[in-house]
Each structure stands twice: as C-alpha cells, then as structure tokens.
Amino acid sequence: MSGLSEPRQLLDDIGLSLVFFTRLRLPSSDFGGRGLSDAIWAAPFAGLAVAVIGALVYTIVASVGLAAGPASALALAATMLATGCLHEDGLSDIADGFGGGRTRERKLEIMRDSRIGAYGAAAIGVSLLIRWSALSELAGPGHVFLALLAAHASSRGLFGAFMHLLPPARADGLSANAGTVAFETAAFGAALGAVALLALGLGGAIAALILLGLLFAAFRSLCLSQIGGQTGDTIGALQQLGEIAVLLAASVCLS
C-alpha cells in the first residue's frame, strides 16, 4: 500500500473517498494525484460520514417526539441524499441486468441503460423496506448511530477486495478506469470495515463478519457467472447488500 505511510497521502485518500462516494464537497479538489484504486481503502470513512448524517437526522427528529418509524425513514432518506443514491442506482442496474438479460453482452447493455425496469424498481423497494424496518426496531438514537456506523463503514470496506479479486467486466467504465487495486490496499480497507463492526459488540461483530463473508463470496460467484467480473454497478449493489446484512444483524444485537 504504497504512499500510505505519509500523513498527507492518508488525508488525500480520505478526501478523495468522501468526494467520490458522497455528495460532500471539500475546499480543495487536489488529492495529490491519487486515484480511486489508491484511495479505495478509505471508503469506510465515507461510510462514517454518511452514518453521522443519518444518525444526526434521527436524533433531531426523535428529540421533538417523532416515533421510531418515521424517524427511521427520515434517517434513511438522509443517507440516500448524502450519497446521491449512488449505490441504490447500482443495485437497480444489477437487478435489471441480471434479471432481464439472457447473454453477458445483453446484461451489460441493460446495466448501462439509464431507464429503470421492474426488477430494478423491485430491488430498490425491497432494499428500502428491509433497511427501514431494521432501523425501526432499534431503541433510540444511540443504537441507530451504532447500527448505521457498522453498516455503512463495513459495507464500503468490501470495495477494495471486490475490485482486487474480480477483473473488470468491460474494457471501459468506472471500474475499468479506476485501475488495479493492490492487495495491501484492499486488505486495509477490509480491516477498517471489520473494526467498524465492533459497534455491534463482539458477538454482533463476529456474526456480522461471518454474514458479510458469506455474502461477499456468493455475490462474487454470481458476478463471475453473470458478466465475468465486476463493474461500478456491482460495487454499488455489493454495498447495498452489505448494508442490509449488517442492519439485520444490528436489529438482533442492539434491539
């Protein structure tokens, strides 16, 4: 993981991840020439920022007496606004492509289509329903923050490993242009994501880590069989699936 021994490059990578994976903007857009493949280890920090925004909204609306259900819905909406629905878009594209295409080429073509189909709409609807219901089961702002922290940071910690282990499915596009992710970079990002799971307690962290590992392996196999690799959309879908898995674990461990 070359360059990460220097504090300036650490900050550059965190800043690049924040700007790329969220709608947050920083005073400077100069990140020392670092690319996404260099900075992908810092994606959990973008997850931390999204979690703080969601938890803050939940805390504010709960403090004025709003019930857990609508407070959770507003917190979830805040996290989606913070990312510009970047990963929800990936999930819908994957659902449409994998569900509607018969050949690898057709699947990739559908995934590039900006229009959303029945599979994509259903996937987003189910994702929203599961995440909202899991958050609604938690007891108060403190537990909501811990759940959001674990879910958003750990799901983004999978990005580097996924890009390292799977080749780009097409010669152009976001994933192909990002470049190759080194093993050390991928491992560091995954480790940061795993540390975030400790917000669920030791037992919850172990359970969530096992769940994420199984999910990662299954989704990797699916992407290889469907399109022969990964794209930006698959990475977004992976985040959504990982977030769902950890929020479900949190609803058991923290409720």
Side-chain angles (χ1 to χ4, degrees), residues 58-100:
Y58 186 98
T59 300
I60 292 172
V61 298
S63 68
V64 298
L66 203 63
S72 298
L74 289 173
L76 183 57
T79 65
M80 294 168 65
L81 286 173
T83 64
C85 294
L86 177 65
H87 305 306
E88 284 81 5
D89 180 68
L91 177 65
S92 69
D93 286 343
I94 287 298
D96 280 333
F98 287 12

Side-chain angles (χ1 to χ4, degrees), residues 18 35 51 63 72 76 80-81 84 89 103 130 164 185 207 222 240:
L18 285 171
S63 68
S72 298
L76 183 57
M80 294 168 65
L81 286 173
D89 180 68
T103 66
I130 295 175
H164 175 76
T185 303
L222 178 65
Q240 287 283 281

Side-chain angles (χ1 to χ4, degrees), residues 89-121 170 226-227 231 233:
D89 180 68
L91 177 65
S92 69
D93 286 343
I94 287 298
D96 280 333
F98 287 12
R102 291 184 177 273
T103 66
R104 174 182 180 275
E105 291 71 23
R106 180 55 179 156
K107 293 176 193 293
L108 289 171
E109 181 183 352
I110 292 173
M111 288 162 57
R112 268 206 165 141
D113 193 331
S114 60
R115 294 170 296 181
I116 185 170
Y119 285 109
R170 53 167 67 102
Q226 292 285 312
I227 57 174
T231 67
D233 285 331

